[in-house]
Amino acid sequence: MARQQIELRPEEAAALRRRVRAGTASVRDRRRSEIILLSAEGLTQQQIAERMGISRLQVNRWVGRFARQRLAGLSDAPGRGRKPWLADGAAQHVLEQGTPRLKPPGSG
């Protein structure tokens, strides 16, 4: 399979390097950024997969998303993760009410 050519703009390369080094970035963000940096260095998807201990399919997914959407493609797609358990606006309503009371007044 032909390697998809990734050419990074200087600001993209800097942003990706920042993500890889950031202690506060999630492991997923660091891994995705590293995949793109290694691809831009000319490594094949198989080489990247072996070096990082992941599947070639994962490498292919992130390289393809980056090629189509650039840095925005490395973010999680909407709808992923746990669904909210509060009704719309419930959290905002609680925040607007101020500090919640643990016991009703006069309960002892």
Side-chain angles (χ1 to χ4, degrees):
M1 177 177 202
R3 189 179 77 77
Q4 187 161 5
Q5 184 65 31
I6 295 287
E7 291 191 28
L8 297 175
R9 297 179 197 111
E11 63 274 8
E12 289 174 331
L16 290 169
R17 282 190 211 96
R18 234 184 346 267
R19 288 182 186 186
V20 168
R21 289 189 314 263
T24 57
S26 71
V27 171
R28 283 182 292 189
D29 286 340
R30 284 189 294 229
R31 179 176 289 160
R32 293 169 188 175
S33 299
E34 190 173 353
I35 289 169
I36 302 308
L37 287 169
L38 292 172
S39 181
E41 288 176 13
L43 273 68
T44 66
Q45 291 182 0
Q46 187 63 41
Q47 290 170 327
I48 295 169
E50 289 171 2
R51 179 182 283 193
M52 297 185 69
I54 58 177
S55 71
R56 192 189 58 75
L57 192 60
Q58 283 182 292
V59 176
N60 186 36
R61 174 185 305 130
W62 294 112
V63 169
R65 278 184 58 171
F66 183 83
R68 288 188 304 277
Q69 301 172 4
R70 307 307 289 182
L71 289 174
L74 299 182
S75 300
D76 285 330
R80 304 292 302 192
R82 181 180 292 185
K83 304 297 181 229
W85 57 274
L86 286 175
D88 290 343
Q92 187 62 36
H93 176 73
V94 169
L95 292 173
E96 289 170 357
Q97 298 301 316
T99 306
R101 296 181 184 184
L102 299 177
K103 293 183 180 180
S107 66

